[in-house]
Amino acid sequence: MYTRVFKRGLDVILSALGLAVCIVPMLIVAVIIKIDSPGPVLFKQKRVGICKTHFTILKFRSMPVHAPHDTPTHQLQNAESMLSPWQRFIRKSSIDELPQLWCILIGKMSIVGPRPALWNQYDLIEERDKYGANDVKPGLTGWAQINGRDELPIEVKAKFDGEYVQKMSFLFDCKCFFGTIGKVLRRDGVVEGGTGEMKKQEEVSKRETQEVTK
């Protein structure tokens, strides 16, 4: 009952309200993107929706047009070096995600749910299958996002997505929603270079420390 009726009703109300409130800031962001670098304002990409169907996600373009289109960020070499200061800012502040309010309004996404995987992120899709996390609508934010976001390895992220599916309810969605606000304000868990990158950096630092102390 919650997922079929109440959750969808909240998605429509909150996404419509969000678009109404953010329309002017979004127009300003669009103008800055056009000034900052050549290319379109919006970035469109094929993502995995409910029951592994595909849909087109919308984001503000936050990378140069020459960046690979369907390559997960964690597979890019020196992703940080590709970005302008403005692009770094909108990625770290999650401003680039605002156009997804439209995807929520038309029913392709939800406010809260597993983040939609790229169509070719087969490792993440396969892991999510173990927990039924591909059988719910993807979300603007989710349980994995407030528990690590980019720094989580694939298998850990999928487990958090599965935990969300098991605990999905109005109160749990509220926990994810309000937890996201704090994460965004602190810019926690955003690591250019992608999935598991924080762990990799920690391992490199640990090895360097060990070498110094030898």
Side-chain angles (χ1 to χ4, degrees):
M1 181 67 176
Y2 171 69
T3 56
R4 291 196 305 270
V5 180
F6 191 51
K7 185 175 172 69
R8 176 58 188 153
L10 281 174
D11 285 342
V12 171
I13 293 170
L14 292 176
S15 60
L17 186 61
L19 286 168
V21 170
C22 294
I23 186 65
V24 173
M26 288 173 71
L27 288 173
I28 294 172
V29 170
V31 171
I32 297 175
I33 289 173
K34 290 299 290 184
I35 295 172
D36 181 67
S37 65
V41 168
L42 293 178
F43 176 73
K44 301 178 181 180
Q45 192 177 55
K46 186 165 71 172
R47 295 286 183 112
V48 179
I50 188 171
C51 298
K52 293 190 281 191
T53 57
H54 291 156
F55 74 102
T56 300
I57 199 171
L58 300 177
K59 302 177 72 172
F60 281 126
R61 183 174 58 82
S62 61
M63 296 193 81
V65 291
H66 60 76
H69 187 273
D70 286 329
T71 302
T73 308
H74 69 278
Q75 293 181 7
L76 295 177
Q77 296 295 321
N78 301 316
E80 182 79 17
S81 65
M82 295 184 183
L83 309 178
S84 70
W86 167 251
Q87 289 168 343
R88 292 190 190 96
F89 170 72
I90 63 173
R91 289 173 71 86
K92 288 184 179 297
S93 61
S94 297
I95 290 173
D96 60 323
E97 310 287 359
L98 286 176
Q100 289 164 49
L101 290 170
W102 175 253
C103 299
I104 296 168
L105 186 63
I106 64 175
K108 298 298 183 181
M109 292 176 60
S110 183
I111 295 291
V112 182
R115 280 296 294 162
L118 263 167
W119 64 273
N120 57 358
Q121 281 186 287
Y122 304 117
D123 51 353
L124 178 57
I125 297 167
E126 184 177 355
E127 281 294 314
R128 283 178 170 173
D129 266 339
K130 298 176 183 178
Y131 307 103
N134 290 315
D135 300 329
V136 299
K137 279 185 184 178
L140 181 64
T141 187
W143 187 229
Q145 275 55 55
I146 65 173
N147 281 285
R149 200 172 172 176
D150 292 339
E151 59 196 64
L152 293 177
I154 290 293
E155 61 274 11
V156 177
K157 184 179 292 186
K159 285 181 180 179
F160 276 122
D161 291 333
E163 187 177 346
Y164 171 76
V165 174
Q166 292 177 346
K167 296 182 177 180
M168 187 164 45
S169 65
F170 174 67
L171 290 178
F172 198 63
D173 276 0
C174 287
K175 184 175 183 177
C176 294
F177 180 81
F178 290 110
T180 297
I181 294 175
K183 284 284 184 178
V184 169
L185 291 176
R186 295 190 301 271
R187 300 181 187 178
D188 286 349
V190 181
V191 184
E192 295 302 343
T195 304
E197 188 65 21
M198 185 74 77
K199 184 177 179 181
K200 295 175 188 175
Q201 292 176 5
E202 289 175 352
E203 290 174 350
V204 170
S205 298
K206 185 177 179 180
R207 285 198 300 269
E208 289 176 347
T209 301
Q210 291 173 341
E211 290 174 0
V212 169
T213 56
K214 283 181 179 179

